[in-house]
Structure formats: C-alpha cells, structure tokens
C-alpha cells in the first residue's frame, strides 16, 4: 500500500474512484485539475498493485465551524473502496492530508459528515475529530 499525492497520470482512474463517492459530480475534470494546480487544495491517493483504492481531498478554508484559527485544513472528500476498508488505509490518507495542512501553517483540521453516515462519523471520531455543530443547508434559485 502506497499513499502519495495525486498525479496527472492518475486522472482517468481518479475520476472513476471519485464517482464512487460522489455519483452526481465526481467526474468533474475541472475540479480534479484544480487539485493538481492550485496551492490551496490537494489530493492524496492510496495505490495497491498499480490500482487506486482510496483518496482524500484537502483544502485550506478561511473558516470552519467550531474552529478558532485560520486557515483551517478541511477534509473535502474521503473514500476507500469497500474491499479495502477497515485496514487502516483511511487513517493513512487522513494523516497525509493533516501533514499537508500542518505544512501550510494550519493548527486545526475540520470536516463534515451527513447525519445518516454513521460509519463516516465514527471513523472521524476514531481519528480524533470531535463533533462541533449540526447544520441545516438551504438553497434558492436566482
Ligand atoms: C470512512 C472511510 C474512508 C474509512 O476508510 P477505512 O480505510 O475503512 O478507514 P480505517 O481502516 O483507517 O479506519 C479508520 C478508523 O475508523 C474506524 N472504523 C472503520 N470502519 C469502521 C466501522 N465499520 N465501524 C466502526 N469503526 C470503523 C477504524 O476502527 C479506525 O479507527 P482505529 O484506528 O481506532 O481502529 C471508508 O469507510 C469509506 O470510504 N466510507 C464511505 C465514504 C465515507 O463515508 N466517507 C467519509 C465521509 S464523512
């Protein structure tokens, strides 16, 4: 198992893996190109025998709920393919994201999980994340 930054050569496989987490918008190539080119966001992948089996996306945000410092490292996406779960890969990915944020001066990390995603919530807690707030989200056409 190898954890490393996302590379340009990974893009086709990465788009497919990302779609497993976000069926609606995971294949957005522009977003992935941003991960490769922007200094305020990054992605790390877990590679096993030449195949991508997990990823984490991390960004710098000026503010995150419950945090008192700025910028904050934010876990924007976190996924391990079902067959590879429960072996510590998710933890290694988050540690890579935390190292990335720490190297950019962050003193806090933040993240979110949907209310029904109890597995995602528990995995966050196991990695030291504390629940700070529950939000209701709104939208409106303009
Ligand atoms: C969340 C996810 C990325 C974790 O990946 P993973 O490789 O299984 O994670 P790890 O094996 O490193 O486990 C991380 C911690 O969560 C715990 N954990 C993992 N699966 C668990 C489960 N089914 N029940 C309870 N705890 C669990 C582990 O015990 C570990 O804690 P520990 O090191 O103290 O034992 C993976 O389950 C996933 O892709 N889920 C679907 C997408 C998702 O929900 N992403 C998070 C959005 S909030």
């Amino acid at each position: 198992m190898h954890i490393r930054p996302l590379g340009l050569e990974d893009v086709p496989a990465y788009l497919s893996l990302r779609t497993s987490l976000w069926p609606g918008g995971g294949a957005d190539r522009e977003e992935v190109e941003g991960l490769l080119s922007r200094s305020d966001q990054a992605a790390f992948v877990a590679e096993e025998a030449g195949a991508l089996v997990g990823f984490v996306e991390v960004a710098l945000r000026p503010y995150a709920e419950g945090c008192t410092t700025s910028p904050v490292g934010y876990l924007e996406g976190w996924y391990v393919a079902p067959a590879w779960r429960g072996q510590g890969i998710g933890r290694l990915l988050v540690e890579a994201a935390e190292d990335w944020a720490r190297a950019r001066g962050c003193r806090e990390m933040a993240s979110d999980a949907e209310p029904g995603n109890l597995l995602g919530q528990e995995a966050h807690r196991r990695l030291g994340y504390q629940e700070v707030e529950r939000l209701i989200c709104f939208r409106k056409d303009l």
Side-chain angles (χ1 to χ4, degrees):
M1 177 57 50
H2 184 43
I3 306 290
R4 59 171 177 78
L6 177 71
L8 191 56
E9 69 286 357
D10 298 316
V11 169
Y14 190 67
L15 288 170
S16 161
L17 191 64
R18 217 171 173 258
T19 305
S20 304
L21 178 62
W22 296 305
D28 188 323
R29 185 173 279 271
E30 264 182 46
E31 276 185 17
V32 171
E33 284 168 0
L35 291 167
L36 290 166
S37 60
R38 291 177 53 156
S39 60
D40 61 348
Q41 51 185 237
F44 295 87
V45 291
E47 184 181 17
E48 177 68 32
L52 301 188
V53 301
F55 72 91
V56 67
E57 294 186 5
V58 57
L60 300 180
R61 288 196 183 187
Y63 168 79
E65 283 76 16
C67 294
T68 56
T69 59
S70 180
V72 174
Y74 203 94
L75 296 178
E76 304 286 352
W78 182 29
Y79 180 79
V80 173
W84 296 92
R85 290 180 190 166
Q87 304 173 32
I89 298 171
R91 177 181 284 276
L92 291 174
L93 286 164
V94 168
E95 286 173 358
E98 292 172 352
D99 287 346
W100 178 90
R102 202 177 283 111
R104 280 149 190 82
C106 296
R107 289 164 43 218
E108 290 175 289
M109 286 294 289
S111 184
D112 59 68
E114 290 182 6
N117 186 356
L118 300 182
L119 162 60
Q121 292 171 35
E122 183 58 22
H124 276 89
R125 286 192 194 95
R126 293 287 190 106
L127 269 59
Y129 288 73
Q130 301 149 344
E131 180 174 335
V132 289
E133 200 161 324
R134 294 203 174 209
L135 291 178
I136 299 175
C137 302
F138 297 94
R139 71 163 297 281
K140 158 182 164 178
D141 285 327
L142 291 177

